[in-house]
Amino acid sequence: AYISTNFRGYEDTGFFLQDAYISVAGFMVGRNFTTFCDLSAVPTTVDFEGPNGYTTLYNEMIRYTYTFNDHWKIAVAAEMPSASITPTAATSTVSQRMPDFPLYAQYSWNKGLSHVRASAVLRNLYYFDDAMDDVRSRFGWGVQFSGEWQLCNRLTLYGQGIYGKGIAAYIQDIAGTGLDLLPVAGDPTNLQTPEMGSWIGGLQYTFSPKWTATAAYSGVKVAAPADYYQADLYNLAHYLSTNVFYNISPSCQAGISYMYGSRKNLDNHLGHANRIQALLQYNF
């Protein structure tokens, strides 16, 4: 059994439950990172949220993982869905009625220090048709290829690519922004799943047991449907992070990071920002 929480100003209370689950005989029941997330495929960053294309989503779930040997394992899960839609005057939100179904197959080598993973997620997105007084649904899906490769004792490469339709909930930068379902122009009772994707590339270099540096580049793209236009619709964003960590002691670590981010809307309006961030962490 495992539980973890933080107090990072979530909503009004400041309290946020990250994980709370029980694992036994390959089954995991409770709240955890989505099965669609490859936790090891992204380098460590000072930024708590990490790259904008990352799948940092916590879901309640039932997951089964089967390990064949030192190289192969698979997993499949049923997870409580998180959907954010853009309704019209003739549609409205409704509670989701079917779990999302993520799954993956992973091959590891080099004593588990390197791996590649192929993942997929299948989902049914529900909304309410006010004119017909009925619930309607649209099918969403996504695929992901990810992994980490330790090239030598000091250098590790990371990569991740995601593509799908109606999977905004699984991409950090656009989760909760109404992009899982968008309206169809000229048909106020019809919603559609837009195409979207994200990518991450990164590396980590260990100079010594005390000093480590990481870098990550990430992007998110939303392909607006041809029959839907909104000037401030999210179109393309980039994220760059460079980080240096110093191990003061086995229990204490310090880090500093420079980050750059940009976002372009559908009307080509562009904004960007720079940030320097630091941390001091003590483990016990």
Side-chain angles (χ1 to χ4, degrees):
Y2 180 80
I3 186 170
S4 68
T5 65
N6 64 45
F7 295 87
R8 300 185 60 85
Y10 182 73
E11 293 184 347
D12 297 326
T13 64
F15 177 81
F16 180 68
L17 177 64
Q18 290 179 268
D19 306 275
Y21 59 83
I22 296 174
S23 297
V24 60
F27 287 93
M28 192 281 294
V29 181
R31 177 178 172 85
N32 199 353
F33 267 113
T34 174
T35 308
F36 195 58
C37 176
D38 188 349
L39 287 170
S40 301
V42 175
T44 302
T45 61
V46 172
D47 182 16
F48 180 78
E49 293 186 351
N52 64 343
Y54 198 32
T55 48
T56 49
L57 175 67
Y58 291 94
N59 277 342
E60 293 74 35
M61 69 183 73
I62 300 174
R63 177 195 296 164
Y64 179 70
T65 304
Y66 183 78
T67 301
F68 293 92
N69 48 46
D70 291 340
H71 299 292
W72 287 99
K73 72 175 180 178
I74 60 173
V76 61
E79 302 185 3
M80 290 291 290
S82 175
S84 178
I85 75 173
T86 300
T88 66
T91 60
S92 54
T93 58
V94 67
S95 297
Q96 299 301 298
R97 300 185 174 189
M98 182 178 292
D100 291 348
F101 296 100
L103 64 155
Y104 71 75
Q106 176 174 306
Y107 178 79
S108 304
W109 69 97
N110 192 21
K111 298 180 180 180
L113 297 175
S114 302
H115 78 273
V116 290
R117 178 185 292 189
S119 308
V121 62
L122 308 175
R123 55 196 326 232
N124 229 28
L125 299 164
Y126 291 86
Y127 69 96
F128 194 76
D129 184 337
D130 296 337
M132 298 296 294
D133 193 27
D134 196 12
V135 174
R136 302 176 67 178
S137 68
R138 293 291 179 266
F139 180 67
W141 59 271
V143 293
Q144 175 181 229
F145 295 95
S146 57
E148 60 174 333
W149 303 270
Q150 187 184 58
L151 299 183
C152 61
N153 290 334
R154 295 179 181 270
L155 181 63
T156 302
L157 298 182
Y158 303 86
Q160 171 188 293
I162 298 173
Y163 174 75
K165 299 185 70 175
I167 56 168
Y170 288 90
I171 300 175
Q172 177 173 266
D173 217 27
I174 54 177
T177 59
L179 291 172
D180 285 307
L181 289 175
L182 291 177
V184 175
D187 188 352
T189 65
N190 195 11
L191 300 182
Q192 59 187 317
T193 52
E195 295 179 68
M196 55 195 60
S198 70
W199 55 92
I200 301 173
L203 57 85
Q204 174 177 297
Y205 190 82
T206 303
F207 294 94
S208 70
K210 290 284 189 179
W211 291 94
T212 301
T214 68
Y217 163 69
S218 177
V220 178
K221 170 69 175 180
V222 177
D227 55 5
Y228 177 75
Y229 179 82
Q230 182 177 323
D232 62 353
L233 185 72
Y234 188 113
N235 181 236
L236 177 66
H238 300 280
Y239 170 100
L240 177 66
S241 174
T242 57
N243 311 265
V244 177
F245 298 93
Y246 177 66
N247 296 316
I248 302 171
S249 72
S251 299
C252 189
Q253 183 184 59
I256 189 168
S257 173
Y258 165 73
M259 286 166 284
Y260 170 81
S262 68
R263 167 178 165 169
K264 184 179 72 171
N265 292 338
L266 194 59
D267 63 357
N268 290 322
H269 186 76
L270 179 68
H272 61 90
N274 298 272
R275 183 167 74 197
I276 295 175
Q277 187 170 329
L279 70 79
L280 180 64
Q281 176 175 295
Y282 184 78
N283 302 307
F284 57 93

